[in-house]
Amino acid sequence: MKLEETESLSEQIAKHISDQIITGELVEGERIQELRIAKELDVSRGSVREALLLLERTHLIHIYPRRGAIVSEMSSQQVKALFDTNVLVLGHIVQRISETWRVHEAEQLQQLMEHLAEQVKAGDTEKFYDGIFQYLAVQHDMVANPYLMKFYKELLPSLRRSYFLTLNTSRRELQESLALFKLVADAILIRKSHQATLFMEDFCRHLRNLVLDSLTRMKQIELAWARRSRR
Protein backbone atom coordinates (compact mmCIF):
# COMPACT_ATOMS: atom_id res chain seq x y z
CA MET A 1 0.00 0.00 0.00
CA LYS A 2 1.33 3.43 -0.94
CA LEU A 3 1.08 5.84 1.99
CA GLU A 4 -0.61 9.14 1.16
CA GLU A 5 0.82 12.14 2.98
CA THR A 6 -2.60 13.54 3.83
CA GLU A 7 -3.94 10.34 5.42
CA SER A 8 -2.71 8.10 8.20
CA LEU A 9 -2.21 4.39 7.55
CA SER A 10 -5.32 3.51 9.54
CA GLU A 11 -7.38 6.02 7.53
CA GLN A 12 -6.20 4.45 4.28
CA ILE A 13 -7.03 0.95 5.52
CA ALA A 14 -10.47 2.17 6.60
CA LYS A 15 -11.04 3.63 3.13
CA HIS A 16 -9.98 0.33 1.54
CA ILE A 17 -12.49 -1.65 3.63
CA SER A 18 -15.11 1.05 3.09
CA ASP A 19 -14.75 0.74 -0.69
CA GLN A 20 -15.22 -3.03 -0.45
CA ILE A 21 -18.46 -2.56 1.48
CA ILE A 22 -19.76 0.20 -0.78
CA THR A 23 -19.17 -1.85 -3.94
CA GLY A 24 -20.69 -4.99 -2.42
CA GLU A 25 -17.49 -6.99 -2.28
CA LEU A 26 -18.18 -7.27 1.45
CA VAL A 27 -21.89 -7.88 2.06
CA GLU A 28 -24.17 -7.18 5.01
CA GLY A 29 -23.70 -9.55 7.90
CA GLU A 30 -20.23 -10.57 6.75
CA ARG A 31 -17.46 -10.62 9.33
CA ILE A 32 -14.38 -8.51 8.57
CA GLN A 33 -11.40 -10.85 8.67
CA GLU A 34 -8.58 -8.82 10.20
CA LEU A 35 -5.89 -11.30 9.19
CA ARG A 36 -7.01 -11.31 5.55
CA ILE A 37 -6.99 -7.50 5.40
CA ALA A 38 -3.57 -7.35 7.09
CA LYS A 39 -2.07 -9.82 4.61
CA GLU A 40 -3.78 -8.21 1.63
CA LEU A 41 -2.38 -4.77 2.46
CA ASP A 42 0.85 -5.92 4.13
CA VAL A 43 0.07 -4.09 7.37
CA SER A 44 -0.18 -5.12 11.03
CA ARG A 45 -3.39 -6.39 12.59
CA GLY A 46 -3.09 -3.52 15.06
CA SER A 47 -3.38 -1.05 12.18
CA VAL A 48 -6.41 -2.93 10.87
CA ARG A 49 -8.08 -2.77 14.30
CA GLU A 50 -7.47 1.00 14.42
CA ALA A 51 -9.01 1.28 10.96
CA LEU A 52 -12.09 -0.66 12.05
CA LEU A 53 -12.63 1.72 14.97
CA LEU A 54 -12.55 4.61 12.49
CA LEU A 55 -14.88 2.77 10.14
CA GLU A 56 -17.44 2.11 12.86
CA ARG A 57 -18.08 5.87 13.03
CA THR A 58 -19.33 5.76 9.44
CA HIS A 59 -22.01 3.17 10.33
CA LEU A 60 -20.76 0.76 7.66
CA ILE A 61 -19.80 -1.79 10.31
CA HIS A 62 -20.68 -2.74 13.87
CA ILE A 63 -18.05 -4.04 16.30
CA TYR A 64 -19.30 -6.65 18.75
CA PRO A 65 -17.44 -8.10 21.77
CA ARG A 66 -15.98 -11.53 20.93
CA ARG A 67 -17.51 -11.42 17.43
CA GLY A 68 -15.44 -8.69 15.86
CA ALA A 69 -16.47 -6.31 13.09
CA ILE A 70 -19.59 -7.14 11.05
CA VAL A 71 -20.79 -5.31 7.92
CA SER A 72 -23.95 -3.43 8.85
CA GLU A 73 -27.31 -4.27 7.35
CA MET A 74 -28.72 -2.36 4.39
CA SER A 75 -32.48 -2.40 4.92
CA SER A 76 -35.24 -0.10 3.71
CA GLN A 77 -35.73 1.14 7.28
CA GLN A 78 -32.07 2.08 7.55
CA VAL A 79 -32.09 3.78 4.14
CA LYS A 80 -35.07 5.89 5.22
CA ALA A 81 -33.35 6.78 8.50
CA LEU A 82 -30.15 7.69 6.66
CA PHE A 83 -31.95 10.04 4.28
CA ASP A 84 -34.11 11.55 7.03
CA THR A 85 -30.87 12.50 8.77
CA ASN A 86 -29.21 13.74 5.58
CA VAL A 87 -32.18 15.95 4.77
CA LEU A 88 -31.61 17.81 8.04
CA VAL A 89 -27.85 18.04 7.63
CA LEU A 90 -27.80 18.97 3.95
CA GLY A 91 -30.67 21.40 4.40
CA HIS A 92 -28.60 23.36 6.89
CA ILE A 93 -25.49 23.18 4.69
CA VAL A 94 -27.22 24.62 1.61
CA GLN A 95 -28.93 27.24 3.77
CA ARG A 96 -25.56 28.47 5.04
CA ILE A 97 -24.03 28.38 1.55
CA SER A 98 -26.95 30.51 0.28
CA GLU A 99 -26.33 33.09 2.97
CA THR A 100 -22.54 33.32 2.82
CA TRP A 101 -21.22 32.63 -0.69
CA ARG A 102 -18.81 35.06 -2.35
CA VAL A 103 -18.10 35.55 -6.05
CA HIS A 104 -15.42 32.87 -6.40
CA GLU A 105 -17.61 30.38 -4.51
CA ALA A 106 -20.53 31.09 -6.83
CA GLU A 107 -18.19 30.36 -9.74
CA GLN A 108 -17.27 27.02 -8.14
CA LEU A 109 -20.95 26.10 -7.89
CA GLN A 110 -21.49 27.00 -11.54
CA GLN A 111 -18.50 24.85 -12.49
CA LEU A 112 -20.01 21.99 -10.49
CA MET A 113 -23.26 22.30 -12.47
CA GLU A 114 -21.29 22.07 -15.73
CA HIS A 115 -19.49 18.98 -14.42
CA LEU A 116 -22.79 17.38 -13.39
CA ALA A 117 -24.29 18.01 -16.84
CA GLU A 118 -21.29 16.26 -18.39
CA GLN A 119 -21.76 13.24 -16.10
CA VAL A 120 -25.45 13.01 -17.02
CA LYS A 121 -24.52 13.11 -20.70
CA ALA A 122 -21.98 10.33 -20.08
CA GLY A 123 -24.48 8.36 -18.00
CA ASP A 124 -22.02 8.19 -15.08
CA THR A 125 -24.31 7.94 -12.04
CA GLU A 126 -21.51 7.37 -9.55
CA LYS A 127 -19.49 10.46 -10.55
CA PHE A 128 -22.69 12.52 -10.70
CA TYR A 129 -23.67 11.89 -7.09
CA ASP A 130 -20.05 11.88 -5.89
CA GLY A 131 -19.68 15.34 -7.40
CA ILE A 132 -22.64 16.73 -5.45
CA PHE A 133 -21.97 15.18 -2.07
CA GLN A 134 -18.22 15.74 -2.14
CA TYR A 135 -18.75 19.39 -3.12
CA LEU A 136 -21.02 19.89 -0.12
CA ALA A 137 -18.53 18.11 2.15
CA VAL A 138 -15.74 20.65 1.60
CA GLN A 139 -17.71 23.86 2.21
CA HIS A 140 -16.32 24.33 5.73
CA ASP A 141 -15.74 28.08 5.41
CA MET A 142 -19.24 28.91 4.23
CA VAL A 143 -21.01 26.58 6.65
CA ALA A 144 -18.81 27.58 9.62
CA ASN A 145 -19.96 24.68 11.77
CA PRO A 146 -17.18 22.11 12.31
CA TYR A 147 -19.43 19.79 14.34
CA LEU A 148 -22.00 19.55 11.57
CA MET A 149 -19.38 19.05 8.86
CA LYS A 150 -17.64 16.31 10.85
CA PHE A 151 -20.96 14.52 11.33
CA TYR A 152 -21.75 14.84 7.61
CA LYS A 153 -18.31 13.46 6.68
CA GLU A 154 -19.00 10.41 8.85
CA LEU A 155 -22.35 9.87 7.10
CA LEU A 156 -20.86 10.11 3.60
CA PRO A 157 -19.67 6.47 3.24
CA SER A 158 -23.12 5.14 4.18
CA LEU A 159 -24.71 7.63 1.81
CA ARG A 160 -22.35 6.52 -0.95
CA ARG A 161 -23.12 2.87 -0.21
CA SER A 162 -26.81 3.65 -0.69
CA TYR A 163 -26.57 5.46 -4.02
CA PHE A 164 -24.11 2.89 -5.34
CA LEU A 165 -27.20 0.69 -5.64
CA THR A 166 -28.66 3.10 -8.22
CA LEU A 167 -25.86 2.76 -10.79
CA ASN A 168 -28.12 0.81 -13.14
CA THR A 169 -31.02 3.26 -13.06
CA SER A 170 -32.06 4.97 -16.29
CA ARG A 171 -30.54 8.15 -17.68
CA ARG A 172 -33.99 9.73 -17.39
CA GLU A 173 -33.79 9.36 -13.61
CA LEU A 174 -30.32 10.91 -13.65
CA GLN A 175 -31.63 13.83 -15.69
CA GLU A 176 -34.41 14.32 -13.16
CA SER A 177 -31.83 14.35 -10.36
CA LEU A 178 -29.87 17.03 -12.26
CA ALA A 179 -33.02 19.11 -12.71
CA LEU A 180 -33.80 18.87 -9.00
CA PHE A 181 -30.28 19.84 -7.94
CA LYS A 182 -30.29 22.72 -10.43
CA LEU A 183 -33.22 24.15 -8.47
CA VAL A 184 -31.04 23.95 -5.35
CA ALA A 185 -28.12 25.70 -7.08
CA ASP A 186 -30.32 28.41 -8.59
CA ALA A 187 -31.88 29.14 -5.20
CA ILE A 188 -28.42 29.37 -3.63
CA LEU A 189 -27.21 31.82 -6.27
CA ILE A 190 -30.13 34.20 -5.66
CA ARG A 191 -29.68 33.76 -1.89
CA LYS A 192 -33.11 32.19 -1.35
CA SER A 193 -31.95 30.02 1.55
CA HIS A 194 -35.39 28.69 2.49
CA GLN A 195 -36.08 27.64 -1.09
CA ALA A 196 -32.66 26.00 -1.35
CA THR A 197 -33.43 23.95 1.76
CA LEU A 198 -36.82 22.82 0.41
CA PHE A 199 -35.36 21.93 -2.99
CA MET A 200 -32.59 19.97 -1.27
CA GLU A 201 -35.28 17.97 0.52
CA ASP A 202 -36.89 17.19 -2.85
CA PHE A 203 -33.54 16.11 -4.27
CA CYS A 204 -32.84 13.81 -1.31
CA ARG A 205 -36.34 12.37 -1.44
CA HIS A 206 -35.94 11.55 -5.12
CA LEU A 207 -32.61 9.83 -4.52
CA ARG A 208 -33.99 7.97 -1.49
CA ASN A 209 -36.80 6.57 -3.63
CA LEU A 210 -34.34 5.45 -6.31
CA VAL A 211 -32.25 3.69 -3.64
CA LEU A 212 -35.31 2.00 -2.13
CA ASP A 213 -36.48 0.79 -5.56
CA SER A 214 -33.02 -0.61 -6.30
CA LEU A 215 -32.82 -2.22 -2.87
CA THR A 216 -36.19 -3.90 -3.37
CA ARG A 217 -35.11 -5.33 -6.72
CA MET A 218 -31.84 -6.56 -5.22
CA LYS A 219 -33.64 -8.29 -2.34
CA GLN A 220 -36.09 -9.90 -4.76
CA ILE A 221 -33.21 -11.31 -6.82
CA GLU A 222 -31.51 -12.64 -3.67
CA LEU A 223 -34.76 -14.28 -2.56
CA ALA A 224 -35.31 -15.85 -5.99
CA TRP A 225 -31.78 -17.30 -5.97
CA ALA A 226 -32.26 -18.60 -2.42
CA ARG A 227 -35.46 -20.37 -3.42
CA ARG A 228 -33.88 -21.78 -6.52
CA SER A 229 -30.89 -23.15 -4.57
CA ARG A 230 -33.22 -25.01 -2.19
CA ARG A 231 -34.85 -27.00 -5.01
Side-chain angles (χ1 to χ4, degrees):
M1 171 182 284
K2 183 180 179 182
L3 185 64
E4 299 290 338
E5 293 182 1
T6 57
E7 293 183 324
S8 69
L9 180 60
S10 57
E11 287 173 331
Q12 291 181 72
I13 297 169
K15 184 179 185 303
H16 174 80
I17 300 171
S18 172
D19 288 343
Q20 291 187 332
I21 295 172
I22 288 168
T23 59
E25 187 175 340
L26 290 171
V27 298
E28 61 181 47
E30 186 171 352
R31 184 174 177 274
I32 307 292
Q33 299 179 25
E34 293 179 7
L35 185 58
R36 178 187 68 82
I37 298 292
K39 287 183 176 180
E40 185 179 311
L41 301 179
D42 192 24
V43 296
S44 69
R45 291 188 69 174
S47 295
V48 175
R49 291 193 188 101
E50 289 179 11
L52 292 175
L53 290 173
L54 292 175
L55 198 58
E56 189 177 30
R57 299 176 190 171
T58 69
H59 312 285
L60 290 179
I61 66 170
H62 297 295
I63 299 177
Y64 299 96
R66 296 181 297 279
R67 290 180 59 196
I70 307 294
V71 179
S72 61
E73 183 186 14
M74 172 75 85
S75 67
S76 59
Q77 181 178 356
Q78 286 169 317
V79 168
K80 290 174 184 176
L82 174 65
F83 276 90
D84 285 346
T85 305
N86 271 290
V87 161
L88 298 175
V89 173
L90 293 172
H92 186 76
I93 289 174
V94 299
Q95 176 188 337
R96 290 291 298 150
I97 293 173
S98 302
E99 295 167 348
T100 61
W101 63 260
R102 293 161 294 181
V103 173
H104 73 279
E105 291 157 338
E107 291 172 352
Q108 289 174 357
L109 180 56
Q110 291 166 338
Q111 289 169 4
L112 171 66
M113 295 309 300
E114 293 173 3
H115 168 77
L116 296 178
E118 291 172 1
Q119 300 313 317
V120 170
K121 189 178 296 185
D124 197 325
T125 302
E126 183 178 3
K127 286 184 179 179
F128 174 82
Y129 288 116
D130 280 349
I132 291 173
F133 293 116
Q134 292 295 336
Y135 164 80
L136 294 171
V138 297
Q139 304 309 322
H140 301 277
D141 290 343
M142 285 190 285
V143 177
N145 186 330
Y147 304 104
L148 181 72
M149 298 306 287
K150 181 177 183 294
F151 180 57
Y152 174 53
K153 184 179 179 180
E154 291 174 351
L155 286 176
L156 266 178
S158 289
L159 184 59
R160 191 163 188 263
R161 183 188 184 191
S162 72
Y163 66 72
F164 197 87
L165 295 176
T166 70
L167 297 192
N168 293 323
T169 54
S170 68
R171 187 169 299 185
R172 179 181 60 81
E173 298 287 8
L174 199 56
Q175 290 170 337
E176 186 172 348
S177 291
L178 176 62
L180 288 169
F181 191 73
K182 186 177 186 304
L183 293 174
V184 177
D186 289 347
I188 288 173
L189 292 173
I190 58 174
R191 298 195 188 278
K192 297 289 186 179
S193 59
H194 181 64
Q195 286 185 8
T197 300
L198 293 177
F199 289 142
M200 195 68 209
E201 290 179 9
D202 290 340
F203 173 81
C204 287
R205 193 176 298 113
H206 174 70
L207 178 54
R208 179 203 64 191
N209 292 339
L210 292 179
V211 171
L212 289 173
D213 288 346
S214 297
L215 183 62
T216 298
R217 286 195 297 271
M218 184 184 75
K219 298 292 186 183
Q220 288 172 341
I221 292 171
E222 289 177 353
L223 181 60
W225 273 105
R227 287 173 176 169
R228 186 174 182 179
S229 65
R230 288 197 295 267
R231 291 177 183 173

